[in-house]
Amino acid sequence: MTREDRPPRRSGPVTGRGSAAWARLALLALAAGVLVPLVAAGLRSVLWVLLGMAGLALAAVGLWWALAHAGTVRMVGSVLCVVAPLAVLALYAAGGMLAPAALSLGLWTLAVSAARAAVAPERAGAGHAPAPAPPPRRPWALMNPRSGGGKVERFRLVERARSAGVRVVVLGTGHQDVAALAEDAVREGADLLAVAGGDGTQALVAEVASRHDLPFMVVPAGTRNHFALDLGLDREDPAKALDALTDGVELRVDLGFAADRVFVNNASFGTYAAVVGDPAYREEKRQTTLRMLPGLLSGPQASRLRMRADGTRADGLQALLVSNNPYRRAVDAARPGRRERLDSGRLGVLGVRVEGAVRAAGLARGPHAAGLLRLAAGEVVVEADTPTVPAGVDGEHVLLPVPVVCRIVPGALRVRVPRGRGGTRWGGAAPDWPRVTRLALGRRAAAQDAARGGD
């Protein structure tokens, strides 16, 4: 069986006493979150909810003006972004609703968190703890001393890795073929490939490791390292990742492909990809983004993408993000850019189409907004009216021929991680309230749910 034929490895549901307790807490917090404003204001609480939604809509309009326009309109939009929510808070305070609203919001947050905990599987991979992995005999690592503001030097990663028996190659200045270096290491007998650098460099070496079915190790020495974060690695102390050499476990995770380019996080098309492609972006990210956005969002050069994903079609998209496994939600202030799992065998799709202030106001509806497309798919085809389309593949700017076929290979990558890593519980991206209710009702309902959970 080839790696393309491997089925995705899914985690089974957790349905023990702890899950039932989380489910009951979720339902109690949800009910309390509804009752608090009703007790404080009766039926007038509906008007307060509508007021809050109006404030969010005005803030969204202000954000659109600030991003899609320049000059006076941008200034007005920036002011509106700040004034609209402050005005709503002032009205809530004057009406004695600020404390009840805050309490209700806190209870809703608790309900969602408890619901996620109730139905979440343990970790990516099988429903049991991963088996210990034997130490590699000839590990090899590529390290980029310029990534993450010099983390490689600051944490003495080269010296620590070499003292652990790793053959280390340090990237120099100028262009170097990262994939070719990894291929050379495989030909010379490396039985583990590691990278200390950014997500783009990790993706290139991960593809080589996947092709040769070798374990891959992430040392989070880049600026963001979203892949490392979702693997549960400590980005503040990248040297801890080296513990996987002697006390490690192995996970099977998916890999995404945009045409022939592999990505461990995502491939973006449209507005963001065009901004990343500007030569000035690396040195002046904020200034470059603000300078380019008006033309990219509402000018004649604005991106207009078409997308097909498992029977769903969309056109006129200004931005499209295809991710290796879905992100938790379109906007997640608590844990931005987090994926609940890396082994679902599905691509995440997030598309945005905003054509004016009215559509921008509609974004206040959240995931159900008309200008927001969010789904999971096995394959995504990106089309445009040009022969090529700019893309940001794990933050690296590339031009890809149209149409761009994005796909996912389940369980393609063997990842070696320390056994004692912190990590997170990985579960469903949105609370499954019917399932939470069944869990809360008793163990028989939980057992029935467990029998259906793998379907």
Side-chain angles (χ1 to χ4, degrees), residues 338-391:
R338 295 300 307 275
R339 288 163 290 183
E340 293 293 348
R341 60 190 301 171
L342 294 170
D343 64 347
S344 72
R346 304 285 282 172
L347 294 167
V349 182
L350 176 62
V352 178
R353 180 176 59 201
V354 181
E355 298 169 342
V358 174
R359 183 65 65 88
L363 293 178
R365 296 180 57 200
H368 305 292
L372 195 62
L373 170 70
R374 186 168 182 263
L375 53 90
E379 182 179 275
V380 179
V381 180
V382 182
E383 300 173 334
D385 294 327
T386 53
T388 61
V389 62

Side-chain angles (χ1 to χ4, degrees), residues 292-384:
M292 295 183 65
L293 276 180
L296 293 172
L297 292 176
S298 57
Q301 70 269 43
S303 301
R304 291 294 182 266
L305 301 171
R306 298 186 299 277
M307 182 277 303
R308 291 184 280 116
D310 291 359
T312 298
R313 294 176 177 268
D315 56 18
L317 297 173
Q318 291 147 302
L320 178 66
L321 183 76
V322 181
S323 59
N324 175 19
N325 285 258
Y327 289 107
R328 281 171 59 95
R329 58 187 72 142
V331 178
D332 189 340
R335 287 169 28 172
R338 295 300 307 275
R339 288 163 290 183
E340 293 293 348
R341 60 190 301 171
L342 294 170
D343 64 347
S344 72
R346 304 285 282 172
L347 294 167
V349 182
L350 176 62
V352 178
R353 180 176 59 201
V354 181
E355 298 169 342
V358 174
R359 183 65 65 88
L363 293 178
R365 296 180 57 200
H368 305 292
L372 195 62
L373 170 70
R374 186 168 182 263
L375 53 90
E379 182 179 275
V380 179
V381 180
V382 182
E383 300 173 334

Side-chain angles (χ1 to χ4, degrees), residues 232-452:
L233 300 178
D234 187 349
R235 297 186 301 177
E236 301 303 317
D237 187 1
K240 288 183 179 179
L242 297 174
D243 293 343
L245 295 169
T246 55
D247 186 21
V249 295
E250 194 169 287
L251 307 174
R252 279 276 185 182
V253 303
D254 308 334
L255 279 182
F257 287 82
D260 60 346
R261 289 292 300 253
V262 68
F263 57 90
V264 294
N265 290 323
N266 57 63
S268 59
F269 304 88
T271 302
Y272 174 72
V275 171
V276 171
D278 190 282
Y281 177 77
R282 293 296 176 187
E283 299 298 327
E284 297 180 337
K285 290 181 172 60
R286 180 175 176 274
Q287 295 88 332
T288 303
T289 302
L290 291 175
R291 171 176 55 81
M292 295 183 65
L293 276 180
L296 293 172
L297 292 176
S298 57
Q301 70 269 43
S303 301
R304 291 294 182 266
L305 301 171
R306 298 186 299 277
M307 182 277 303
R308 291 184 280 116
D310 291 359
T312 298
R313 294 176 177 268
D315 56 18
L317 297 173
Q318 291 147 302
L320 178 66
L321 183 76
V322 181
S323 59
N324 175 19
N325 285 258
Y327 289 107
R328 281 171 59 95
R329 58 187 72 142
V331 178
D332 189 340
R335 287 169 28 172
R338 295 300 307 275
R339 288 163 290 183
E340 293 293 348
R341 60 190 301 171
L342 294 170
D343 64 347
S344 72
R346 304 285 282 172
L347 294 167
V349 182
L350 176 62
V352 178
R353 180 176 59 201
V354 181
E355 298 169 342
V358 174
R359 183 65 65 88
L363 293 178
R365 296 180 57 200
H368 305 292
L372 195 62
L373 170 70
R374 186 168 182 263
L375 53 90
E379 182 179 275
V380 179
V381 180
V382 182
E383 300 173 334
D385 294 327
T386 53
T388 61
V389 62
V393 181
D394 279 340
E396 301 294 327
H397 176 72
V398 295
L399 283 175
L400 299 177
V402 173
V404 182
V405 178
C406 300
R407 60 190 175 90
I408 192 165
V409 182
L413 184 63
R414 299 165 57 190
V415 180
R416 188 74 57 89
V417 295
R419 183 166 52 178
R421 76 195 192 284
T424 57
R425 262 180 102 170
W426 293 355
D432 185 345
W433 289 107
R435 187 167 154 200
V436 170
T437 303
R438 290 195 297 271
L439 284 169
L441 291 178
R443 298 182 66 181
R444 169 177 284 186
Q448 294 172 350
D449 183 71
R452 293 190 293 266

